[in-house]
Amino acid sequence: MTELIKVNNIEDIEILTMVGQKQSFPNHFHNTFCISLITEGIECIEMDKKLIYSKKNFISISNPYEIHSNPLMYKNQKLSFHTIYFPQIVIDEIAGRKNVFFEKRSFKDLKLNTYLIDVIKSTKKNQNELNPSLLKKFIERLIIHSSENIKKDDLMFKNNWDKAIKFIDENLKNNVNLETLASSCKMDKFKFAKSFKYFCGISPMNYMLIKRVFEAKETISKETNLTALAYEFNFTDMSHFSRQFNRYIGLSPKKYQQNLSE
């Protein structure tokens, strides 16, 4: 189900509700901020060689004119979300400064989630007229997460992003801990973990776990020995692999394999 609302009283604001997205979106951009609340599944944004994951109850953001794609992580995934498209001028006016920008692309803020839902419900109730006071409350909360100042440690991590992701991708089948990951960027493990979560929305170890699950899924065929695959990708045992696979894919590895046979 797809529902698009064009706000009548404030120009260029749109609200999109998507239930059960069934297709990927190739490289594209918006001339507005694209602010989404994930209500089901896992959203993936690919941008500047980064994969940014947003889980249920997370907010994801892309800035105006940023080229990005939205790949579906697996064939039968259930992805649902609310998205509000805001022009730069609307954000800037309420923030009281020009060129508001978000380095932090994915985060969890339950109060912000509530404000976003209030904006949507009110707009629908008032025949596509957006309540300015609710809009102001939402954006004032949103800009807390904007990037007016990037801390030194975060900037250091940003400059080493490609190196960190390359290291993760090359070690999905190895036993890698947080300290080893941080060392690949020559950073203290606590500062590394904090900066990684700031930019990516989830911890580095959770990011690596998600990548392992999806990489393992891509190798499954009708003939695959699932227990051997679990150990190959460094899961502690089949139970651990099955639990994490079900968490992110929505069904067990065995059920997924059976579906390939049908």
Side-chain angles (χ1 to χ4, degrees):
M1 183 198 82
T2 304
E3 180 184 18
L4 180 64
I5 296 173
K6 294 191 175 184
V7 172
N8 293 330
N9 58 325
I10 304 179
E11 191 174 357
D12 295 329
I13 294 181
E14 295 181 342
I15 299 171
L16 172 68
T17 296
M18 176 75 75
V19 178
Q21 179 183 327
K22 296 181 179 179
Q23 67 180 73
S24 299
F25 292 97
N27 278 341
H28 64 287
F29 66 85
H30 307 276
N31 60 358
T32 60
F33 287 97
C34 178
I35 301 161
S36 300
L37 168 61
I38 311 306
T39 56
E40 184 180 21
I42 301 175
E43 178 200 55
C44 179
I45 298 177
E46 185 170 2
M47 181 189 309
D48 295 332
K49 299 180 181 179
K50 304 176 189 176
L51 289 177
I52 303 166
Y53 298 103
S54 299
K55 302 185 290 186
K56 181 179 179 180
N57 293 326
F58 272 58
I59 295 283
S60 71
I61 298 180
S62 62
N63 297 287
Y65 301 104
E66 285 184 329
I67 297 175
H68 62 282
S69 63
N70 300 95
L72 285 181
M73 298 311 298
Y74 57 95
K75 184 179 178 181
N76 297 315
Q77 84 164 356
K78 295 179 180 179
L79 176 62
S80 302
F81 54 87
H82 300 293
T83 298
I84 303 184
Y85 301 94
F86 286 113
Q88 180 87 50
I89 190 172
V90 172
I91 302 285
D92 288 356
E93 283 180 355
I94 293 177
R97 54 187 167 89
K98 291 185 177 181
N99 301 317
V100 172
F101 185 80
F102 294 88
E103 287 277 0
K104 196 175 183 181
R105 307 310 176 86
S106 179
F107 55 85
K108 190 173 184 179
D109 183 335
L110 296 181
K111 184 174 286 189
L112 184 64
N113 295 0
T114 299
Y115 292 165
L116 185 147
I117 295 297
D118 287 345
V119 167
I120 293 172
K121 286 182 176 178
S122 172
T123 304
K124 289 182 178 180
K125 183 178 179 180
N126 295 310
Q127 299 180 323
N128 298 3
E129 296 280 328
L130 196 152
N131 184 312
S133 63
L134 290 178
L135 172 65
K136 186 172 187 291
K137 183 186 290 188
F138 172 74
I139 292 179
E140 285 179 341
R141 181 73 184 188
L142 176 69
I143 60 177
I144 291 173
H145 302 278
S146 65
S147 307
E148 188 171 15
N149 295 297
I150 300 178
K151 295 178 182 178
K152 181 179 178 181
D153 292 332
D154 294 332
L155 182 60
M156 181 180 178
F157 173 78
K158 180 185 177 186
N159 293 335
N160 282 281
W161 170 270
D162 289 342
K163 185 185 295 184
I165 297 306
K166 185 173 185 290
F167 186 86
I168 288 173
D169 288 342
E170 291 176 348
N171 287 276
L172 293 177
K173 296 180 180 181
N174 298 325
N175 185 15
V176 176
N177 58 28
L178 178 60
E179 191 167 5
T180 304
L181 272 177
S183 294
S184 71
C185 293
K186 297 182 172 57
M187 290 183 69
D188 170 82
K189 67 179 181 180
F190 299 110
K191 292 178 180 178
F192 174 83
K194 184 178 179 181
S195 296
F196 192 104
K197 190 169 184 179
Y198 176 85
F199 283 106
C200 198
I202 57 176
S203 72
M205 301 312 294
N206 199 12
Y207 178 95
M208 192 167 193
L209 173 62
I210 292 172
K211 289 295 293 281
R212 277 178 171 148
V213 168
F214 284 114
E215 189 71 20
K217 180 190 73 68
E218 291 301 314
T219 70
I220 294 177
S221 68
K222 291 184 289 184
E223 294 78 26
T224 301
N225 182 316
L226 295 177
T227 300
L229 185 68
Y231 288 118
E232 181 183 352
F233 278 90
N234 203 45
F235 290 93
T236 54
D237 52 32
M238 185 60 199
S239 176
H240 181 217
F241 178 48
S242 184
R243 188 168 61 252
Q244 298 303 329
F245 196 97
N246 189 70
R247 177 184 178 188
Y248 292 111
I249 305 301
L251 68 170
S252 70
K254 185 174 181 180
K255 183 64 177 176
Y256 179 82
Q257 187 179 49
Q258 288 171 348
N259 288 346
L260 294 176
S261 304
E262 295 173 357

